[in-house]
Amino acid sequence: MTLHPNLSYSETFSVRTYEIDSRKQMTAPALLNLMHEAAMQNVLKLKVSVWDLEPHQVSWVLMRMQLKIKRLPMLSEEVTITTHPSGFEKFFTYRDYKLYDAQGELIAYTSSTWLLMDTQSRKMRRIPPFILDFAMPPEEDCLPRIRHKLPAFGAADRHRQFEVNWYDLDFNQHLNNVAYVKWLMQSIDDELLAEGHLEELDIQYRAECRWKEVVRSEVQQIDPFCCMHRLVRESDQKELALAQTRWRKG
């Protein structure tokens, strides 16, 4: 196997007004959208996007993501995102993302775990040889893989309800990955949401969510700066996602 010359993808963005909050800093969901966009451009160039995989009746599904933020960029600030696949393990593939400011300082990064889903059976599929043929970078050049389990969710302190609308769907016709994050975070205590700074988001995606389904977002306050979250489908009480966030103030 040889390392593909375009294995890594990099793109520079300028922070737009629709990506910021009242403090003029980029929101975490906006950052995740940019990371997903960079990853999509990467797989398009590698010819392993969801559309390239359609003849094989498989599609990429995000299973786990851990975002760590040193600081969020401000309005009009230029930032560069780099992303690349970072390895295979049994049924799973891994992808890293890094966000740099104009001075080249790493200000946020994400490790993620993916699998391939059979688009007919909606079950997990083995990684085909033509994907395994890509030689990955050495492990020491990659972010640590997510190995730990998230704590179990206890009793909810707060909750909100959402309905999946048409513009919440992605190209796979299920709830967009970033919408999961938005809904999880919008049940947080008002003061923490308005004044806190997100330092870490660790989310496990557990099930698909489709158009017009009703979802309950629950939050459990572990301590003043740590929350557990989950999304539950109202119709069958199935847990769609589990997450943990850590915050700071000031």
Side-chain angles (χ1 to χ4, degrees):
M1 295 189 293
T2 57
L3 186 65
H4 196 287
N6 297 319
L7 189 70
S8 180
Y9 178 83
S10 180
E11 186 171 353
T12 298
F13 299 88
S14 179
V15 179
R16 308 293 185 178
T17 54
Y18 56 81
E19 296 172 324
I20 63 170
D21 60 17
S22 61
R23 293 168 286 192
K24 297 183 182 179
Q25 68 179 9
M26 177 178 275
T27 66
L31 172 56
L32 292 175
N33 273 325
L34 285 188
M35 288 181 166
H36 286 318
E37 175 62 23
M40 176 57 74
Q41 295 304 319
N42 191 198
V43 294
L44 283 168
K45 291 181 180 296
L46 294 173
K47 304 298 183 185
V48 289
S49 72
V50 290
W51 299 288
D52 295 300
L53 297 179
E54 276 182 347
H56 305 276
Q57 296 185 328
V58 292
S59 182
W60 295 111
V61 175
L62 179 58
M63 297 297 296
R64 185 83 179 266
M65 180 177 64
Q66 187 176 63
L67 168 66
K68 295 191 176 183
I69 300 171
K70 296 181 179 180
R71 73 169 183 89
L72 286 164
M74 305 301 291
L75 176 63
S76 300
E77 185 175 350
E78 285 200 346
V79 292
T80 299
I81 291 178
T82 64
T83 183
H84 60 83
S86 56
F88 306 113
E89 187 176 11
K90 297 181 180 179
F91 287 89
F92 301 109
T93 68
Y94 300 93
R95 172 172 287 276
D96 292 351
Y97 308 78
K98 294 180 179 179
L99 179 71
Y100 298 92
D101 64 16
Q103 289 70 47
E105 182 180 351
L106 180 66
I107 59 174
Y109 55 95
T110 298
S111 54
S112 61
T113 305
W114 301 71
L115 59 76
L116 282 172
M117 178 187 68
D118 188 301
T119 55
Q120 302 301 308
S121 69
R122 316 305 285 183
K123 294 182 179 179
M124 190 165 50
R125 280 268 296 270
R126 289 188 177 276
I127 304 169
F130 70 88
I131 294 179
L132 291 174
D133 192 48
F134 286 102
M136 294 293 104
E139 191 169 338
E140 58 267 23
D141 292 342
C142 302
L143 295 173
R145 293 177 182 173
I146 311 169
R147 300 291 189 187
H148 65 279
K149 289 185 178 181
L150 284 168
F153 189 92
D157 297 308
R158 288 172 299 280
H159 70 273
R160 288 188 62 182
Q161 195 176 76
F162 298 90
E163 182 177 347
V164 182
N165 294 308
W166 179 256
Y167 293 111
D168 297 320
L169 302 176
D170 63 13
F171 42 75
N172 284 320
Q173 292 289 295
H174 59 214
L175 183 64
N176 182 282
N177 290 328
V178 179
Y180 279 75
V181 173
K182 287 181 179 179
W183 292 0
L184 285 166
M185 292 175 60
Q186 286 186 77
S187 296
I188 292 173
D189 172 77
D190 290 352
E191 183 180 353
L192 185 58
L193 191 59
E195 300 179 12
H197 296 270
L198 181 67
E199 289 190 320
E200 185 175 326
L201 164 71
D202 191 345
I203 179 170
Q204 182 178 17
Y205 295 88
R206 294 190 165 180
E208 297 177 277
C209 189
R210 297 188 174 277
W211 189 22
K212 297 186 179 181
E213 291 183 334
V214 178
V215 177
R216 187 174 70 254
S217 171
E218 299 181 342
V219 62
Q220 176 192 10
Q221 194 84 34
I222 304 300
D223 63 42
F225 302 106
C226 179
C227 301
M228 289 298 300
H229 310 257
R230 69 174 178 176
L231 293 182
V232 179
R233 184 162 50 215
E234 291 283 16
S235 61
D236 59 2
Q237 299 301 299
K238 185 174 184 62
E239 189 173 85
L240 305 176
L242 180 69
Q244 184 177 61
T245 57
R246 296 186 184 277
W247 303 75
R248 63 176 173 84
K249 283 191 176 181

